[in-house]
Amino acid sequence: MDDKKHAKAGGVDRRSMLKMGAAGSALLAGAPKMALAAEEKKPIGNYPAGVEGDSVFIGLTLDITGPYSAQGADQQKGYELAVEQLNAGAEEVKKISPLTKKGVLGKTVKFGVADAETKPNTAVQAASRFIHDNKAMMISGSTSSAVAIALQKVCDRERTIYLPAISGSNETTGVDCQRYGFRLCYFAYTACKAIAPVLAKSLGKDRKAMYLVPDYTYGHTTYDSMVEFTEKQGWKTVGSQVHPLGAKDYSSFLINIANSDADTLVVIAYGADAANSIKQAKQFGLLDKMNIVVPYMSAFLEKEIGAEIMGGVYGATGFWWTLQDQYPIAKDFVTAFEKKFKAKPRDSAYIAYLTTVMWADACERAGSFYPPDVIKAYEAGEIRQGPVGEVSFRAEDHQGIINFPIVKGKKKEDMKNPDDYFEVVEVVNGRDALPELGVLGCKLGPYV
């Protein structure tokens, strides 16, 4: 048989095949990385089903009822403002997320709200419905760290981005960290490390402290961090009283505190628990002989217990509205919030707002909603300007690097208006307050 004729029978001779092969290899070598990456993006989580239309859905699991309901309601306002501004392409969000145009990657953001009831099981059920029924591309919302940790685990399993709102436990980005979870807010370790020197300077180094501790991960890790950093300043830990979340009667705990020789009551309790316990401490006469410290202060505590008790109390918080006098982006946020809700924002609304805008920014920088790409955009550590200065994330544990204030309660006669409860003692540099990598035991899992 004539080999040349046989080679041409199919219309391509051997020499042509070699040329085509070489050309093909050159073409592949120079192919745009985006095109190759697109071929590798197999379905994961709700991608691509969750972004096939002209909108993208986020599910919000908020404490509408339960001991942290005031914070949950405030968070909802923060999320609503962020979504409204994102969909409008507002200039306020562009200052934080400069790539934002209108919506996120051109898609309208839609959201649903479910009541987590400050219960992990309820929150997980709600998040699962959002993921399976609504094709949610992101889940957010929490006040309880037990809720946040449970949500973070289920969202990691479902390969859906999870963003806590408030979660004070060290474990959230420590031993319970997850590849698909990112916490923006300050937390127990950072709050206690920052406030301890302020307390030693203001109240003295020879204090004797008694602790009121809620019995779950936030309470225990905050207690551990507060003891660590106050004892470094010379304080003595007299003891602690551990109470159940949502307790109504604190009399037995307060009797034990009264019978100690402590001169400082450190209230780690949060939300309604903090308000109820401090009010009852006042009734017991404890506050006549003891200073109060609230190292991780919940929003609206000042309103619930009033300036008569709050005056002189030191605490750390995520945000205080008078920071608008110092930071232009804070001014934008406070102004927009007041216009929409006729009230001053608290840290729970602030962190919900900023968390949402930072998620939009990560998606825009990734150029995709593909979850591993969004995660890697977070992990790139890009610095943005937030309402209280620079904001970014650590790649190694997904902890937000964010500034926050230490505040001191004003006496009633010093308040300039009904919302002027605090003076800002200092703004903490969030990077300086972080633990060294590895201290809290974070080991992130796989992307896919």
Side-chain angles (χ1 to χ4, degrees):
M1 180 182 287
D2 187 333
D3 289 341
K4 290 184 179 180
K5 288 182 180 178
H6 179 71
K8 290 181 178 179
V12 181
D13 61 21
R14 184 171 181 274
R15 181 175 294 178
S16 298
M17 285 291 290
L18 290 171
K19 289 180 178 179
M20 288 176 64
S25 298
L27 179 62
L28 286 173
K33 292 181 180 179
M34 290 291 288
L36 292 176
E39 293 175 6
E40 298 167 1
K41 290 179 182 178
K42 297 178 181 179
I44 183 170
N46 280 325
Y47 183 91
V51 294
E52 288 176 343
D54 59 2
S55 65
V56 60
F57 183 89
I58 59 177
L60 307 177
T61 53
L62 308 179
D63 296 324
I64 306 303
T65 59
Y68 297 162
S69 58
Q71 292 72 39
D74 199 46
Q75 284 174 26
Q76 183 169 343
K77 293 174 181 177
Y79 286 117
E80 288 179 0
L81 179 60
V83 170
E84 179 182 284
Q85 290 186 348
L86 284 168
N87 288 336
E91 291 301 316
E92 292 93 335
V93 298
K94 291 180 181 180
K95 293 178 183 180
I96 303 170
S97 175
L99 297 177
T100 292
K101 294 185 174 75
K102 195 171 185 179
V104 179
L105 294 173
K107 295 183 183 292
T108 300
V109 181
K110 296 185 177 180
F111 68 92
V113 176
D115 185 4
E117 301 176 339
T118 322
K119 298 176 182 178
N121 287 343
T122 305
V124 165
Q125 291 170 10
S128 297
R129 288 194 298 271
F130 284 140
I131 291 169
H132 297 144
D133 298 347
N134 302 98
K135 304 299 181 197
M137 294 304 295
M138 183 267 275
I139 301 294
S140 190
S142 66
T143 305
S144 159
S145 289
V147 167
I149 289 170
L151 285 171
Q152 189 165 249
K153 288 178 179 178
V154 74
C155 287
D156 192 76
R157 187 170 65 245
E158 297 284 355
R159 295 297 187 252
T160 301
I161 302 291
Y162 172 63
L163 309 173
I166 292 173
S167 177
S169 173
N170 292 341
E171 295 176 351
T172 307
T173 49
V175 295
D176 286 313
C177 70
Q178 304 292 335
R179 181 68 68 180
Y180 278 68
F182 291 84
R183 171 171 60 182
L184 180 58
C185 69
Y186 81 124
F187 61 106
Y189 185 101
T190 56
C192 297
K193 181 179 179 181
I195 200 172
V198 174
L199 296 174
K201 181 179 179 180
S202 303
L203 302 180
K205 292 179 175 289
D206 57 348
R207 307 293 294 188
K208 298 177 182 178
M210 192 75 172
Y211 290 78
L212 197 55
V213 183
D215 191 12
Y216 75 108
T217 179
Y218 154 73
H220 297 301
T221 61
T222 306
Y223 170 79
D224 290 342
S225 291
M226 194 62 178
V227 168
E228 175 186 353
F229 289 111
T230 56
E231 288 187 353
K232 286 180 179 178
Q233 296 293 329
W235 284 30
K236 178 182 177 181
T237 303
V238 175
S240 65
Q241 292 292 294
V242 178
H243 64 85
L245 182 64
K248 302 298 182 184
D249 183 2
Y250 291 84
S251 57
S252 61
F253 310 115
L254 295 171
I255 288 171
N256 291 334
I257 292 171
N259 289 333
S260 73
D261 63 345
D263 53 27
T264 306
L265 173 58
V266 181
V267 179
I268 294 174
Y270 193 89
D273 287 355
N276 291 335
S277 61
I278 292 173
K279 286 177 182 177
Q280 290 176 39
K282 173 69 173 177
Q283 294 168 0
F284 269 72
L286 290 182
L287 307 190
D288 296 332
K289 61 178 183 177
M290 301 178 78
N291 290 102
I292 303 179
V293 173
V294 188
Y296 199 89
M297 189 176 293
S298 54
F300 303 106
L301 178 62
E302 72 286 347
K303 276 187 173 291
E304 293 178 55
I305 67 176
E308 180 186 357
I309 296 176
M310 187 57 75
V313 173
Y314 286 88
T317 186
F319 180 79
W320 187 243
W321 64 270
T322 58
L323 290 171
Q324 67 177 337
D325 299 333
Q326 187 174 348
Y327 298 94
I329 296 179
K331 177 69 172 178
D332 290 343
F333 169 63
V334 173
T335 299
F337 191 93
E338 283 190 293
K339 182 178 180 181
K340 184 173 178 62
F341 299 109
K342 314 303 180 189
K344 303 286 187 187
R346 297 308 197 266
D347 72 328
S348 39
Y350 155 78
I351 206 67
Y353 172 87
L354 187 55
T355 290
T356 308
V357 177
M358 291 294 285
W359 166 75
D361 180 68
C363 293
E364 294 286 355
R365 287 189 288 110
S368 170
F369 289 105
Y370 183 61
D373 286 354
V374 177
I375 290 171
K376 290 172 184 176
Y378 274 111
E379 291 175 345
E382 189 82 16
I383 295 174
R384 294 304 194 209
Q385 290 299 319
V388 193
E390 293 184 345
V391 186
S392 61
F393 286 86
R394 292 205 302 196
E396 296 85 355
D397 59 4
H398 292 187
Q399 175 57 48
I401 304 171
I402 189 168
N403 302 335
F404 60 92
I406 303 296
V407 298
K408 178 185 177 183
K410 289 186 174 183
K411 295 180 180 179
K412 190 171 183 179
E413 58 268 25
D414 295 329
M415 294 172 60
K416 297 177 182 178
N417 60 63
D419 284 299
D420 187 30
Y421 283 96
F422 296 115
E423 64 172 290
V424 175
V425 177
E426 69 173 74
V427 176
V428 177
N429 182 307
R431 189 176 298 276
D432 292 344
L434 286 175
E436 292 185 8
L437 289 171
V439 167
L440 300 180
C442 175
K443 293 182 180 180
L444 296 169
Y447 293 92
V448 295

